[in-house]
Amino acid sequence: AQSVTQLDSHVSVSEGTPVLLRCNYSSSYSPSLFWYVQHPNKGLQLLLKYTSAATLVKGINGFEAEFKKSETSFHLTKPSAHMSDAAEYFCVVIQGGSQGNLIFGKGTKLSVKP
Amino acid sequence: DTGVSQDPRHKITKRGQNVTFRCDPISEHNRLYWYRQTLGQGPEFLTYFQNEAQLEKSRLLSDRFSAERPKGSFSTLEIQRTEQGDSAMYLCASSSLSGRHYNEQFFGPGTRLTVL
């Protein structure tokens, strides 16, 4: 069965400093992985996705993630945090086969201090 | 592309009442999903449709829950005899099985249900 574990429930950074949100996955085969962001009172938005092409995936708003099979990780990074990045971030793996059901991690709340 | 829309955005009801939510997916998206999100948790899959066929239901979907997508376009999620534990955000998502955004799920803003 597929699953994801987000290692931090809350991360706090200062504006202009790097962001690292950690995610480990468990899958019996090559997974499809996603990062979604949820701003308060707004819908979930796809940041980026990995589907077995390039291991370094670039997403929107300057975010990127690297798929590391040896570490079963898919950490989300951004070189310089902006106040508008404050939100809840979810690491997601797609259910096996073609069903496409998403399995979400518990989320990491990112706070950005001025 | 108007995005996924959900109605209502908020619903307050008394325990034991029935409620129905509507989801309008992105036009021509084949698949439509329902998720439930409780406070402090990630969304959990409930059920999904491919066109009008309901192909999978989670164990979370008790017999008080029913979902339909009669013409393969909009979908409704009904909860009968609501319980306080049903209080949550109900999210709808849709995806296409073709094109650049193959199988990417686009989410609506959700319907927040409060059961008193």
Side-chain angles (χ1 to χ4, degrees):
Chain A
Q2 293 77 37
S3 66
V4 289
T5 301
Q6 292 185 245
L7 300 170
D8 307 291
S9 59
H10 190 196
V11 169
S12 181
V13 301
S14 297
E15 191 174 21
T17 64
V19 176
L20 170 64
L21 305 182
R22 299 182 295 165
C23 173
N24 287 116
Y25 70 89
S26 173
S27 177
S28 54
Y29 58 92
S30 184
S32 292
L33 293 160
F34 307 78
W35 276 97
Y36 277 82
V37 61
Q38 188 174 38
H39 287 94
N41 300 316
K42 291 190 177 180
L44 285 156
Q45 182 182 19
L46 179 65
L47 277 179
L48 50 81
K49 67 176 181 180
Y50 166 76
T51 54
S52 75
T55 56
L56 182 62
V57 182
K58 293 187 185 299
I60 61 172
N61 302 335
F63 284 95
E64 61 182 38
E66 186 171 7
F67 175 76
K68 291 187 176 180
K69 187 175 180 179
S70 60
E71 299 176 8
T72 61
S73 69
F74 189 59
H75 300 336
L76 182 70
T77 60
K78 182 173 180 177
S80 176
H82 191 272
M83 295 297 291
S84 62
D85 294 328
E88 188 93 24
Y89 291 80
F90 293 97
C91 182
V92 183
V93 65
I94 201 165
Q95 181 71 35
S98 62
Q99 295 96 324
N101 311 341
L102 299 181
I103 299 170
F104 285 76
K106 291 184 181 296
T108 298
K109 183 175 181 180
L110 176 65
S111 300
V112 182
K113 297 175 290 187
Chain B
D1 181 354
T2 57
V4 179
S5 61
Q6 293 186 245
D7 183 69
R9 294 291 305 276
H10 303 273
K11 178 70 177 180
I12 300 174
T13 191
K14 293 182 178 179
R15 190 175 53 187
Q17 298 295 304
N18 298 344
V19 294
T20 300
F21 310 141
R22 177 180 169 122
C23 170
D24 286 89
I26 293 172
S27 178
E28 298 180 357
H29 272 193
N30 317 82
R31 287 188 172 171
L32 187 148
Y33 300 80
W34 286 99
Y35 294 84
R36 180 172 69 187
Q37 185 178 21
T38 54
L39 205 60
Q41 300 294 318
E44 296 172 294
F45 167 76
L46 292 178
T47 188
Y48 93 98
F49 293 83
Q50 182 161 314
N51 300 314
E52 67 274 9
Q54 187 173 16
L55 295 188
E56 187 167 345
K57 293 192 287 188
S58 161
R59 286 173 295 176
L60 292 175
L61 212 66
S62 76
D63 56 6
R64 295 185 298 106
F65 288 68
S66 62
E68 295 183 342
R69 194 183 184 196
K71 296 181 179 179
S73 57
F74 73 92
S75 175
T76 57
L77 178 67
E78 180 183 16
I79 309 174
Q80 296 182 325
R81 305 180 303 281
T82 53
E83 302 173 356
Q84 288 185 326
D86 296 332
S87 296
M89 178 76 85
Y90 289 84
L91 298 167
C92 178
S94 69
S95 69
S96 172
L97 293 177
S98 63
R100 187 165 74 94
H101 298 291
Y102 171 80
N103 223 7
E104 288 180 20
Q105 293 187 27
F106 292 82
F107 282 81
T111 294
R112 182 169 294 283
L113 173 65
T114 302
V115 181
L116 302 176

